[in-house]
Amino acid sequence: MRDVLYLEEIEQAEALLKPQRVEVLRQLAEPRTCSEVAERLGQTPQRVYYHVKRLVEAGLVDLVSERKVRGIHEGIYQAGARSYWLSPRLVGRIGLRKARDELSLGYLLDLMEEVQSDIAALDRRAPELPSIGLSGEIRVRPEQRQEFLNDLQTMLQGLFARYGGAEGDAFKLAVACYPNATAADSPEPGTPAPSAAPTAAEPSASPAPADPPASDAPPAPTDEAGPRRRPDAGDRPPPA
């Protein structure tokens, strides 16, 4: 099972984003048969098999093994990843990209999209190099914000200059600073809302792709009736 499965296809999103199907996927965090999932969810094996079949076709669930019970073969399925991320490219950028400064929320969102895309590509390559993640909380008065930004830029420029040679393993460094919503709800008396400064670094992956046009794919259809035939005979309910 992978850590992250990055969904970039409309068909994958359509297959996943249904309440009953999400519940089935959660039950497949551990390898289970459709009959076992049906018993846990209080559904019929036929209905569960229909959802599992769609998830397998979309590449979100894997058939990990089979077993033979009373002469009948049962498929054992498991979720393909622990986390499922939806790519922003599924919708595409709405409108033109505006010029953003480093203190704007738009700049931070662009950076997060790039980091998300890089991490997804990194997971597909399964590198041996470890990723590095750091996070912390700081407090900056309004009149000190520009000074803090200057100090941060100077520090990073020093790191880039010191470790920017052509030798060694390549890592990509991203730094984000944004208001801490939890602390902002209950600030200390006389203290402005703080800023959190998480940092993250990971082995470099392929750059974020160019922005595609907005997708005009139709909305996901509602669930159809169960399959007319069920190749997984092990999930057939007992006769009346």
Side-chain angles (χ1 to χ4, degrees), residues 98-114:
K98 297 180 180 179
R100 307 187 191 279
D101 60 53
E102 294 176 338
L103 296 177
S104 70
L105 177 61
Y107 187 93
L108 181 60
L109 290 173
D110 289 342
L111 176 61
M112 292 301 100
E113 286 186 14
E114 182 179 344

Side-chain angles (χ1 to χ4, degrees), residues 1 5 16 30 37 39 66 76 90 141 167 171 224 233:
M1 179 186 290
L5 187 57
L16 175 62
E30 301 295 334
V37 174
E39 183 178 357
E66 291 183 340
I76 301 176
L90 289 172
R141 293 186 174 90
E167 299 180 355
F171 283 79
E224 304 90 349

Side-chain angles (χ1 to χ4, degrees), residues 3-240:
D3 287 329
V4 177
L5 187 57
Y6 196 54
L7 308 185
E8 300 180 272
E9 303 294 334
I10 289 290
E11 293 76 14
Q12 289 180 310
E14 288 178 342
L16 175 62
L17 297 181
K18 298 180 185 296
Q20 290 186 347
R21 208 162 287 167
V22 171
E23 288 302 318
V24 169
L25 186 63
R26 287 173 177 162
Q27 293 299 323
L28 293 176
E30 301 295 334
R32 291 189 173 102
T33 66
C34 294
S35 297
E36 291 171 337
V37 174
E39 183 178 357
R40 287 171 170 267
L41 297 181
Q43 298 184 11
T44 64
Q46 295 96 326
R47 192 62 176 170
V48 170
Y49 176 74
Y50 168 71
H51 291 308
V52 170
K53 180 180 178 182
R54 292 294 304 276
L55 291 169
V56 170
E57 291 172 349
L60 309 180
V61 164
D62 299 320
L63 174 63
V64 294
S65 63
E66 291 183 340
R67 68 185 183 189
K68 191 174 183 179
V69 180
R70 300 185 183 92
I72 299 175
H73 290 275
E74 285 186 311
I76 301 176
Y77 302 90
Q78 186 174 22
R82 295 180 177 85
S83 298
Y84 292 78
W85 291 0
L86 297 178
S87 169
R89 296 196 303 168
L90 289 172
V91 175
R93 186 168 301 278
I94 307 300
L96 299 176
R97 184 191 297 270
K98 297 180 180 179
R100 307 187 191 279
D101 60 53
E102 294 176 338
L103 296 177
S104 70
L105 177 61
Y107 187 93
L108 181 60
L109 290 173
D110 289 342
L111 176 61
M112 292 301 100
E113 286 186 14
E114 182 179 344
V115 171
Q116 184 186 49
S117 178
D118 286 347
I119 292 176
L122 193 64
D123 181 72
R124 287 194 292 267
R125 298 177 182 180
E128 297 180 358
L129 289 176
S131 298
I132 302 170
L134 301 173
S135 67
E137 182 177 308
I138 61 171
R139 292 180 179 269
V140 180
R141 293 186 174 90
E143 64 272 14
Q144 293 180 314
R145 289 173 183 169
Q146 188 59 50
E147 180 182 359
F148 166 71
L149 179 59
N150 293 339
D151 289 344
L152 185 61
Q153 290 175 329
T154 299
M155 179 189 68
L156 291 177
Q157 288 171 357
L159 289 175
F160 293 149
R162 181 176 180 180
Y163 297 99
E167 299 180 355
D169 299 317
F171 283 79
K172 187 171 183 179
L173 175 66
V175 178
C177 181
Y178 51 90
N180 187 331
T182 302
D185 292 338
S186 56
E188 295 181 2
T191 304
S195 296
T199 62
E202 70 274 354
S204 59
S206 57
D211 298 321
S215 172
D216 57 356
T222 57
D223 283 349
E224 304 90 349
R228 296 178 179 175
R229 63 183 185 86
R230 298 177 53 255
D232 189 345
D235 289 325
R236 181 178 300 118

